[in-house]
Amino acid sequence: MLRPRFDDEEEVYIPEIGEDDSDFNMHDRIPHSNAGIALGWSALEQQMFDMLLLNRFAADDQELLDETARTISRLVETFEAHEIARIMSVAMMSFQLAAAEEKSFEDEYNKYRDYIKKHPEDVEEI
């Protein structure tokens, strides 16, 4: 099964489901990339790379994609799953911080680091 190539960025891939699909299994109905088919990817691999390449219609920046892939590899090599989930939560909150309070996570983190350098007694104990 080949995934259609979209001309319109607003189009969303939705698998066709026939009326006689009584044995329907959503796990089997995931989008498939042409490369993934050629490489014999499992459903998990297809889903993982579809998520990674979700912005493929808006940006064709190979360097950004490579950097993202390196970051993911580094995270997986360095942290356990619960730590990655915590990091992702903080990253999402940083977007909320920017939107709601017009503050930058990086700026606030640097303020924290500067404060702790001057007041080491106030460092949080883990």
Side-chain angles (χ1 to χ4, degrees):
M1 172 171 114
L2 294 177
R3 181 180 46 204
R5 305 244 187 236
F6 298 115
D7 295 327
D8 183 357
E9 291 179 7
E10 298 299 317
E11 287 188 58
V12 176
Y13 174 78
I14 301 173
E16 290 184 25
I17 301 172
E19 290 181 22
D20 61 346
D21 284 343
S22 56
D23 62 341
F24 174 73
N25 179 351
M26 182 55 99
H27 191 66
D28 294 336
R29 301 296 180 127
I30 59 169
H32 293 281
S33 70
N34 295 332
I37 292 167
L39 293 170
W41 279 350
S42 69
L44 177 59
E45 288 167 316
Q46 290 283 356
Q47 291 170 340
M48 182 174 64
F49 280 90
D50 280 343
M51 182 67 76
L52 176 65
L53 302 172
L54 198 58
N55 68 346
R56 64 187 169 273
F57 303 120
D60 292 324
D61 186 341
Q62 189 63 47
E63 288 183 27
L64 179 60
L65 178 61
D66 290 346
E67 184 176 334
T68 302
R70 283 191 302 272
T71 300
I72 292 168
S73 295
R74 174 84 190 234
L75 280 170
V76 171
E77 292 168 1
T78 307
F79 300 99
E80 294 188 22
H82 70 281
E83 287 294 319
I84 294 172
R86 185 180 56 76
I87 291 166
M88 290 183 341
S89 296
V90 172
M92 292 307 299
M93 285 184 220
S94 72
F95 284 105
Q96 185 177 1
L97 180 70
E101 301 183 23
E102 298 181 3
K103 293 181 178 178
S104 157
F105 170 79
E106 184 176 8
D107 291 344
E108 295 306 310
Y109 178 74
N110 288 333
K111 287 178 192 176
Y112 169 80
R113 294 299 299 164
D114 290 342
Y115 177 85
I116 291 303
K117 285 178 186 174
K118 295 173 185 167
H119 307 282
E121 68 279 4
D122 287 343
V123 69
E124 284 78 10
E125 291 186 22
I126 299 174

